[in-house]
Amino acid sequence: MGMTMTQKILAAHAGLESVEAGQLIEADLDMVLGNDITSPVAIHEMDKFEKKGIFDREKIALVPDHFVPNRDIKSAENCKCVREFAKQNGIVNYFEVGEMGIEHALLPEKGLVKPGDAVIGADSHTCTYGALGAFSTGVGSTDMAAGMATGKAWFKVPSAVCFRLSGKFAPRVSGKDLILHIIGMIGVDGARYQSMEFTGEGVAALSMDDRFTVSNMAIEAGAKNGIFPVDGQTEEYVRTHAPEGSTGSPVYRKYEADPDAPYTAVYDIDLAKVTPTVAFPHLPENARTFDDIPDIAIDQVVIGSCTNGRISDLRSAASILKGRRVAKGVRCIVIPATQKIWMQAMDEGLFKTFIEAGAVVSTPTCGPCLGGYMGVLASGEKCVSTTNRNFVGRMGAIDSEIYLASPATAAASAVEGRIADPRRY
Amino acid sequence: MESAHGKVFKYGDNVDTDVIIPARYLNTSKPEELAVHCMEDIDSSFVEKVQKGDIIVAGKNFGCGSSREHAPIAIRAAGVKCVIAENFARIFYRNAINIGLAIVECPEASKEISAGDTVSVDFSSGIITDETTGRKFKGQTFPPFMQKIIDAGGLVNYINESRE
Ligand code: SF4
């Protein structure tokens, strides 16, 4: 029987000819990631190993991003713990404030994940790198510790669901609408313990930023990973995002699913039929389109996060906010995901647009996405957010409400002060 | 092999890690500090009522959302001995095994057991007994590899043992 793309990557990293769904394997890792919340737990676990040390100082990435710049004394202590661990162990890929970004935007940008890699991260949205044709998945801190110590992780080989894409998006529709549409269709456990594999000629019509957004939210359908084939756009991205100081062309492997790869379900999606989609509180599966969205006044808009804080997201929001004002009584918070994106947005004049419109621009941080700081919601407040989770209390008070949407929908909503259809702009 | 015996706290489908332990408390990883806020956003009286050895019974996709190991850590530190659910989200499942929190998948038990019932679980056979109603259910046991990690008391001990 053939293998899925994910299964081929896992087989190669386990040193096996082939694997099948359900099999338990141990795979070699190309990168192990942690942030300021999950790494301290892993670092304490590291003390318990009898054999000390890390497996490879170039294959660990530590990115303080959740409560950074330090939110309070406890967060500062967590960051200090990560900083000192990185220093003691000579970890090359530690990113301090000033060079950091939200981890899942930062790693691809720095060329730290390549097609065909196997990556674990102690953060559930580690699945983002599937956009590059890598196998990447979120794990907990103990797995991270074991990964840092041994360079290996155990996996149950997943079965897969296939999404065959065709056509291309209508104006003002983007990757966020596609993934919200899919989660609305299959539910928050629709791909539980499975891979989501995206194929078809429609893939070519998706920008890399769109693919990152789609893979990012695979976990929101319960998936282990969400993976795209490697095409010309991927290879161009990898070429233009080589690690600092590296010479020559990057080395990576392209894997393709076999024609007879087993899928537990196949969905055909015409991108042209996807319309702006909003996930209502309190689950990402509560997806609605504008033929079914009542008039809902809002208090806040957040444009940012590992889902939608990339340059094309900011451009999309700016194209709507340009020459317009954020509605009175609404706070609009824009957070570029990395320093590089920040600089790019500044050079392109996007900040002028945002600030003239009455929005604020923050330094890269996860901040409000997880109710940390920089935009926490009060009781009863409603927020349109380009983030990925609208769980109870995720952004603040337990009776606040989060509506997940694309940057275009978020910007249109900021202008109108209510959840608004971006196709009007 | 160990077993569990305690009173049941019952929840529905898709109990996510943000309600198990809200992110606003993630500036610490101390089990006892996390335990105080366990389930706070879904059941504010949980922490007051839970007794050492109690059992959580929930619907499908328990523990969905973030990868925070703080979630199973908080549940264990609150005194819960075992979580029974129709099924678990994958990262929570991994984390529970890796830190040695007992979990059992059992769709029937998840439906039939009520809040407040007294329940016992035998981990080696997967047999769940609702002592209040007298009903028995058969939960799923782990594949041998995972059972080895659990028997070792978690992934770190398992690696230490297998590296010797
Ligand atoms: S932006 Fe939000 S979802 Fe992404 S890594 Fe940060 S907290 Fe997690």
Side-chain angles (χ1 to χ4, degrees), chain A residues 121-127 137-140 188-189 192 216-223 282-284 388-391 394, chain B residues 14-21 26 60-69 71-72 88-93 95:
Chain A
D123 188 279
S124 59
H125 295 100
T126 303
C127 52
T137 194
V139 296
V188 292
D189 64 346
R192 202 180 61 89
N216 174 272
M217 289 192 71
I219 176 72
E220 265 33 270
H282 292 282
L283 283 176
N388 48 40
R389 288 196 174 128
N390 55 354
F391 298 156
R394 171 80 178 179
Chain B
N14 301 313
V15 172
D16 62 77
T17 52
D18 274 282
V19 298
I20 296 173
I21 181 71
L26 295 184
K60 62 177 183 169
N61 207 24
F62 186 88
C64 62
S66 104
S67 70
R68 62 190 71 150
E69 213 157 282
F88 293 87
R90 63 161 284 275
I91 304 181
F92 186 91
Y93 185 91
N95 287 347

Side-chain angles (χ1 to χ4, degrees), chain A residues 66 102-104 123 125 305-306 366 369-370 388 394:
Chain A
H66 279 58
I102 299 174
E103 50 198 309
H104 309 307
D123 188 279
H125 295 100
S305 84
C306 60
C366 293
C369 171
L370 77 164
N388 48 40
R394 171 80 178 179

Side-chain angles (χ1 to χ4, degrees), chain A residues 3-324:
Chain A
M3 286 191 281
T4 66
M5 185 173 174
T6 302
Q7 289 169 351
K8 283 195 174 171
I9 299 176
L10 286 174
H13 284 79
L16 300 169
E17 278 286 290
S18 69
V19 295
E20 55 180 69
Q23 190 176 342
L24 284 159
I25 57 155
E26 194 172 52
D28 289 323
L29 301 170
D30 298 296
M31 187 56 75
V32 178
L33 163 73
N35 58 47
D36 52 319
I37 289 183
T38 55
S39 304
V41 181
I43 291 166
H44 292 132
E45 288 297 302
M46 291 293 282
D47 289 339
K48 299 184 194 156
F49 287 116
E50 282 157 16
K51 190 169 160 219
K52 300 293 172 205
I54 54 168
F55 86 110
D56 189 331
R57 59 190 209 96
E58 289 180 11
K59 292 186 176 172
I60 294 171
L62 298 176
V63 189
D65 57 357
H66 279 58
F67 295 157
V68 166
N70 302 342
R71 180 186 85 166
D72 54 18
I73 296 172
K74 283 182 178 174
S75 324
E77 294 294 343
N78 275 341
C79 291
K80 188 170 149 199
C81 162
V82 179
R83 184 178 303 117
E84 286 176 352
F85 176 80
K87 201 165 163 211
Q88 273 158 20
N89 290 280
I91 289 171
V92 179
N93 299 304
Y94 165 75
F95 297 98
E96 190 57 85
V97 169
E99 52 187 5
M100 53 73 76
I102 299 174
E103 50 198 309
H104 309 307
L106 190 71
L107 261 56
E109 181 188 286
K110 296 273 183 195
L112 295 177
V113 180
K114 297 186 303 306
D117 280 359
V119 179
I120 61 165
D123 188 279
S124 59
H125 295 100
T126 303
C127 52
T128 308
Y129 321 129
L132 291 168
F135 168 77
S136 63
T137 194
V139 296
S141 296
T142 301
D143 276 312
M144 180 193 172
M148 288 198 291
T150 65
K152 292 175 194 298
W154 65 270
F155 296 110
K156 188 156 103 184
V157 175
S159 57
V161 184
C162 179
F163 298 87
R164 277 196 307 228
L165 310 179
S166 62
K168 60 179 211 208
F169 289 138
R172 295 288 183 217
V173 178
S174 66
K176 184 61 159 291
D177 302 300
L178 171 62
I179 190 64
L180 290 177
H181 167 77
I182 289 174
I183 298 167
M185 189 167 70
I186 67 173
V188 292
D189 64 346
R192 202 180 61 89
Y193 241 106
Q194 296 189 287
S195 301
M196 293 168 80
E197 299 209 348
F198 301 91
T199 63
E201 32 103 11
V203 168
L206 296 180
S207 69
M208 285 311 293
D209 283 2
D210 279 328
R211 298 181 203 182
F212 283 122
T213 303
V214 170
S215 288
N216 174 272
M217 289 192 71
I219 176 72
E220 265 33 270
K224 184 168 203 142
N225 67 322
I227 197 165
F228 280 87
V230 177
D231 65 6
Q233 271 197 77
T234 326
E235 300 194 83
E236 172 67 16
Y237 184 94
V238 175
R239 249 199 316 281
T240 50
H241 294 82
E244 224 169 277
S246 66
T247 51
S249 38
V251 184
Y252 53 87
R253 279 201 65 181
K254 280 163 77 168
Y255 294 89
E256 269 174 51
D258 288 322
D260 61 340
Y263 293 108
T264 57
V266 178
Y267 296 92
D268 285 301
I269 297 174
D270 180 355
L271 298 179
K273 294 215 177 103
V274 177
T275 61
T277 304
V278 178
F280 274 49
H282 292 282
L283 283 176
E285 72 184 16
N286 297 335
R288 294 209 206 169
T289 49
F290 278 92
D291 43 29
D292 181 30
I293 292 179
D295 183 24
I296 297 174
I298 57 168
D299 304 284
Q300 181 170 296
V301 167
V302 171
I303 298 168
S305 84
C306 60
T307 316
N308 281 122
R310 296 184 181 78
I311 191 67
S312 51
D313 300 318
L314 303 183
R315 286 180 191 142
S316 162
S319 72
I320 288 175
L321 287 169
K322 191 156 183 71
R324 299 194 172 88

